[in-house]
Amino acid sequence: MREYLSAVAGNAALRQRLGADLAAGQLSHAYILEGPDGSGKETLAMEIAMSLACENRESGEHPLPCRSCPSCRKIAAGNSPDVIRITREPDKATMGVDTVRALRSDVITVPNDLAFKVYLISDAHTMTEQAQNAFLLTLEEPPAFVLFFLLAEDAGALLETIRSRAPILRMQPVGEDEIERYLLSPDRDGAQRRSAEELRRSAPEEFAAVLRMANGRIGSAIALLDAEKRAPLLQNRADVLEICHLLADHGTPDALLAALLALGKKRDEVTEKLLLLQIALRDLLALCYSERVALLFFTDEATANELCARFSARRLLATIDAVNATLASLAANGNVRLLLFELLGRLTANQ
């Protein structure tokens, strides 16, 4: 059976559906690709663009795209003038109408060296309402040679009139086993594969943490192969694990306060770490009721089980409630330092 869109990890049903559409020549003129950063939206769009241009498209002996013909390589390298990325202006939180007007002017220009033009609109969910209405004029009656991909974290941020004219393709999370196979595959970029192999060999626990921290997103896993990008997230996990151990050991208020204050001074960073603590505590609570649990924080089951044995389910529930109350107060703009002191009081009361 012919393989379609093989550079996209997971999402087997989606790849099968699009493969059938490619084989039948039944692609829509526009798609909304929905998913968080790193979930594979751009990879999917590029794979479809290469499939349309692939010089081995009619040969069932090759995967589609083949990724080896001159047309595939040109698109993959970002050198095709007919595969165009539309992005927000630098330092802008939204995509304004001027960007869309420039796109509309370009759309009517015929392709340079392909039979089609592909537009990848990054962060489409940030388009202002005015920009979306301007884009709608083009989306309703585009030239026959144009294909649009709107890459959006949340398709719900787009106007209903746009969503009604472009099928929404939702990228699904990828399992950790599949992420590992992807990173180590001989088909992947050589430098990327070597980085993954070296990390797995030299620091297997850290490699396992990368797979867990990727949260089902191939792009995030690739980014975390960079030690500088990985380090702060690993530190967050270490901070949370220290608090878990202090709580399990009924640590002194001074030690627990020091660990809480080490979470940071800014609302966002404290919130991020408390959300991570919440996940860790829920792992431990789940282990109180079942030995077969899909852990979301812990990568080492032995460590999680050892910690769980030092808690009661009742104390874990009370601790989770204390963390939830602090998160709610942070969301309501409460004073960060004061809330951490209040959290200390709640936690020590539960010991």
Side-chain angles (χ1 to χ4, degrees), residues 7 27 39 48 69 100 109 134 163 176 231 261 326:
L27 287 179
S39 59
I48 294 174
C69 71
V100 174
T109 305
R163 285 180 281 141
E176 291 178 20
L261 293 178
T326 302

Side-chain angles (χ1 to χ4, degrees), residues 137-253:
L137 298 174
T138 299
L139 188 61
E140 288 176 328
E141 296 182 6
F145 52 78
V146 168
L147 175 59
F148 293 110
F149 289 106
L150 289 83
L151 313 185
E153 292 183 10
D154 177 14
L158 296 170
L159 297 175
E160 172 60 30
T161 47
I162 288 181
R163 285 180 281 141
S164 67
R165 289 166 173 77
I168 299 174
L169 306 180
R170 293 183 173 87
M171 306 302 296
Q172 298 300 316
V174 180
E176 291 178 20
D177 289 345
E178 191 155 7
I179 292 177
E180 180 174 4
R181 286 195 296 272
Y182 187 95
L183 294 179
L184 300 172
S185 169
D187 295 330
R188 301 282 73 81
D189 173 79
Q192 172 192 303
R193 185 182 68 252
R194 287 190 294 274
S195 294
E197 289 172 344
E198 172 59 22
L199 184 62
R200 187 178 66 163
R201 182 193 64 78
S202 61
E205 291 185 6
E206 199 165 317
F207 183 72
V210 164
L211 301 179
R212 184 62 47 85
M213 292 187 297
N215 198 25
R217 295 173 288 178
I218 289 289
S220 296
I222 293 171
L224 290 171
L225 293 176
D226 184 325
E228 289 187 4
K229 295 179 180 177
R230 187 168 69 243
L233 296 185
L234 290 174
Q235 185 59 54
N236 288 354
R237 292 176 60 84
D239 291 344
V240 165
L241 191 57
E242 180 185 3
I243 291 174
C244 289
H245 279 286
L246 286 170
L247 292 170
D249 294 336
H250 301 275
T252 66

Side-chain angles (χ1 to χ4, degrees), residues 66-103:
C66 73
R67 305 186 66 81
S68 58
C69 71
S71 294
C72 282
R73 292 202 305 270
K74 188 172 185 177
I75 293 175
N79 294 328
S80 173
D82 296 321
V83 178
I84 302 143
R85 288 177 170 81
I86 306 298
T87 61
R88 287 177 286 173
E89 294 180 27
D91 303 323
K92 295 286 187 180
T94 59
M95 184 181 296
V97 69
D98 289 343
T99 299
V100 174
R101 286 172 178 159
L103 180 155

